[in-house]
Amino acid sequence: MGKIYTNQVGFLPTGEKMAILSFDSPEFKLVDDSQQTVFEGKTSHFGRDDISGEDTYVADFSSFAGQGRFKVIAGDTESVSFDISNKAYDKLMKDICKCFYYLRCGHGLSKEYAGKFYHEPCHLSKATVYGEDTDPVDVSGGWHDAGDYGRYSTAGAVAVAHLLYGVRLYKNLLNVKFDIPAEKCEKGEYPDILAEVKVELDFLMKMQRENGSVWHKVTTFNHADFIMPEEDKGELFLFSVSSLATADIAAVFALAHTIYKDYDSEYAKLLLERSLKAYEWLVANPEPLLFKNAEGSNTGEYPEPEDYSNRFWAACALYEATREKKYYEDALFQREKLIIYDNDDSFKGYQGNIFTCFGWADVAGLGSLSLLLTNQKTELKEYVRNCFALEAARLCDNAARNGFNLCMKREDFIWGSNMELLKYLMVLSVANYLEPKDEYLNVISSGIDYILGCNSMDVSYVTGNGERAFKNPHLRPTAVDDIEDPWPGLVSGGPNVGLQDERARMLPKNLPPMKCYIDHVDCYSLNEITIYWNSPLVFILAGLLK
Ligand code: G3I
Ligand code: 9MR
Ligand code: ZN
């Protein structure tokens, strides 16, 4: 039977609003919650695309200006109900921010703030420095990375960066309240988002060694079984330092300095000192120091083939924070290295323009954001500005070829495809920040629709948001806590043609990319959650709600 796919949460009244039909119906209508017809329209036939594999019809109700709760009806088929309201994303925003609190490691979650999801303190034992005969180190705190209990420096820095650049661009993020313990500062109390981010920043400070370098990760030797975090008593190890982690930390501390200085001068000073210390180590160690898992260890690796984008980001962030010319020159130098690397087909990883990438590995886009935030007009700033315009044009072109107006290509449906999409929506948000265009906003809006249910799985990829939201994340606490619902506000990794876990390999062969998904707890390669899949959504929503 045909389906009507729609954003299951809702739409802002002013933006583009549409649903996608998988069947032929010339007309559709919008009804309110008392079944009154409030809008009638004609569908337009898009045709078949190679991502969804479906022959789609578009029901566009953008011109409808009413607010309330509605559904789309075409023939005998009904969509789920959704809101059209200025407040349509308020709960969603609160939920996706609150998940960082639920992922906190160390302190434990209190009944007051976590309700039924409270748990005891976890991972408080000191960590052994792997392969060295030195004293164990206290690196407690921060956020668990994902469905596992590892804590990884590059992943943590990138998630923090999405949130903090969000704060730099969109001040409204400072007003989001999501019910977490208050954190005092010189100015009184931090806004919630900065209080939550400080939890991770404090942890990342502990990951820095005396000499300025940063440990790549702290985890048990292998992934824990499915147990609550406080039951995971395995020995913790700090695996080797990497220039990747050191550069990301130099960058994110410099960025944090520019924000926290308005709240607490001592803390901001410390952030800058730590950033400079990491940077000095990078200067003294110019060769990439990459990361590989220790023999036999299976926790996350977060491997990267080079460190140019990381060093680029660090140089740009310190340039923005200090305005010192030497960082600008270092950024120019790393740009050249990155261009050579990006043009070398044997390394080709990221599909889009590398200077706009916001991933856990390719972080040059974050450096570009720092450049865009400087007030001087420089060659490099103009260069990256142009990269955003070019990349945004490519993404709009992709969207035009797709029945869901989705700016992705087949190649984007890898592990964490939802993040590939969210990274693109961040690019479009930045392009729109630099030069507002309806075209950008429409593609952003369709991307958000996809995440919230307008996709051929008919599923909202955010827990607790949408009538058919996914419910079975690959997430240890949720899987074992005997509570039916997962924490609300978790973003799923999403469809992945790679079928990289045992359960995923049981899916039928040759599914279209958009359908390579199942809401199953065992599927870490397509239904896990992570901090850096939530964080870009916070950035994008802040942009939409500004
Ligand atoms: O870059 C290549 C690309 O060139 C190629 O065309 C494409 C198709 O195979 O693959 C791309 O590489 C992918 C890589 O991510 C880059 O995004 C790999 O296939 C894919 O296996 C890899 O997945 C990563 C996964 O760890 C395995 O390393 C995910 O991005 C990453 O989010 C995930 O991170 C895990 C942590 O290790 C542990 N904690 C949970 C977390 C989330 O699952
Ligand atoms: O649960 C782990 C998940 O967080 C990781 O993303 C994934 C890849 O590192 O690994 C998962 O752990 C699996 C392990 O690698 C192999 N045995 C089964 C584990 C999950 O049940
Ligand atoms: Zn923990």
Side-chain angles (χ1 to χ4, degrees), residues 104-106 122-123 144 149 151 229:
R104 281 190 193 187
C105 182
C122 57
H123 303 109
H144 298 135
Y149 294 135
R151 285 167 292 149

Side-chain angles (χ1 to χ4, degrees), residues 468-517:
R468 296 185 194 139
F470 86 107
K471 286 201 161 95
N472 304 295
H474 181 86
L475 170 60
R476 285 170 170 72
T478 291
V480 297
D481 65 6
D482 288 330
I483 300 168
E484 196 186 330
D485 293 322
W487 316 326
L490 294 159
V491 176
S492 166
N496 170 11
V497 297
L499 307 178
Q500 286 163 285
D501 62 68
E502 237 172 84
R503 181 62 188 75
R505 280 188 279 275
M506 289 158 66
L507 286 175
K509 297 281 163 282
N510 301 319
L511 286 172
M514 210 190 270
K515 288 190 175 154
C516 289
Y517 174 79

Side-chain angles (χ1 to χ4, degrees), residues 179-465:
D179 198 23
I180 56 166
E183 176 75 15
K184 294 216 176 341
C185 60
E186 278 167 11
K187 230 184 135 185
E189 275 174 14
Y190 284 109
D192 281 359
I193 192 79
L194 298 186
E196 193 52 55
V197 164
K198 187 168 179 291
V199 167
E200 183 72 2
L201 289 170
D202 289 348
F203 156 70
L204 291 172
M205 283 198 194
K206 295 183 181 174
M207 293 295 278
Q208 186 171 34
R209 303 197 78 159
E210 252 329 288
N211 69 2
S213 65
V214 176
W215 281 295
H216 197 74
K217 65 172 180 178
V218 56
T219 69
T220 46
F221 199 75
N222 284 314
H223 282 303
D225 291 339
F226 268 58
I227 49 179
M228 286 301 281
E230 62 270 33
E231 290 161 7
D232 179 20
K233 301 282 190 204
E235 184 175 4
L236 292 173
F237 291 97
L238 281 159
F239 293 98
S240 39
V241 299
S242 68
S243 56
L244 309 162
T246 308
D248 285 7
I249 264 53
V252 84
F253 285 179
L255 166 67
H257 164 81
T258 65
I259 296 171
Y260 285 78
K261 69 176 167 29
D262 294 340
Y263 296 88
D264 198 295
S265 57
E266 281 304 305
Y267 190 63
K269 196 169 140 231
L270 183 62
L271 285 164
L272 187 57
E273 277 167 19
R274 295 302 204 92
S275 166
L276 293 170
K277 209 168 162 188
Y279 202 84
E280 275 161 29
W281 184 91
L282 291 169
V283 172
N285 295 271
E287 289 304 312
L289 183 56
L290 306 178
F291 185 81
K292 254 189 105 47
N293 264 350
E295 185 74 31
S297 163
N298 79 354
T299 54
E301 191 167 41
Y302 290 113
E304 295 178 46
E306 43 68 37
D307 67 3
Y308 314 135
S309 78
N310 317 72
R311 286 177 190 258
F312 175 78
W313 179 24
C316 295
L318 267 166
Y319 173 59
E320 204 254 328
T322 67
R323 305 293 147 102
E324 279 184 45
K325 208 161 168 264
K326 66 173 178 186
Y327 299 116
Y328 182 82
E329 276 153 18
D330 287 357
L332 282 176
F333 179 74
Q334 295 302 333
R335 172 180 64 172
E336 293 319 303
K337 289 199 153 193
L338 200 50
I339 289 173
I340 294 168
Y341 156 77
D342 194 41
N343 288 335
D344 180 345
D345 282 344
S346 62
F347 273 131
K348 195 81 190 148
Y350 184 57
Q351 302 292 327
N353 184 302
I354 197 84
F355 290 95
T356 67
C357 187
F358 300 121
W360 56 255
D362 293 313
V363 293
L366 300 169
S368 300
L369 283 182
S370 283
L371 290 170
L372 292 170
L373 285 164
T374 58
N375 29 35
Q376 305 92 314
K377 188 168 177 169
T378 54
E379 190 264 320
L380 204 44
K381 182 176 175 180
E382 291 315 299
Y383 177 82
V384 300
R385 178 194 291 274
N386 190 42
C387 288
F388 277 96
L390 288 173
E391 179 66 358
R394 183 185 78 91
L395 296 172
C396 290
D397 190 55
N398 283 355
R401 292 162 204 273
N402 176 283
F404 290 71
N405 200 36
L406 194 65
C407 56
M408 299 171 82
K409 288 184 150 176
R410 281 180 75 90
E411 305 83 84
D412 293 321
F413 286 82
I414 56 177
W415 191 321
S417 66
N418 282 341
M419 190 202 194
E420 297 307 299
L421 171 60
L422 293 171
K423 284 183 334 197
Y424 291 156
L425 302 188
M426 278 181 72
V427 173
L428 289 160
S429 304
V430 174
N432 191 60
Y433 175 88
L434 297 170
E435 189 187 351
K437 285 193 184 173
D438 283 348
E439 191 186 13
Y440 298 158
L441 282 174
N442 291 347
V443 180
I444 295 171
S445 155
S446 297
I448 294 294
D449 292 350
Y450 172 92
I451 292 288
L452 298 176
C454 191
N455 55 61
S456 359
M457 293 307 306
D458 201 20
V459 63
S460 164
Y461 289 114
V462 184
T463 53
N465 285 267

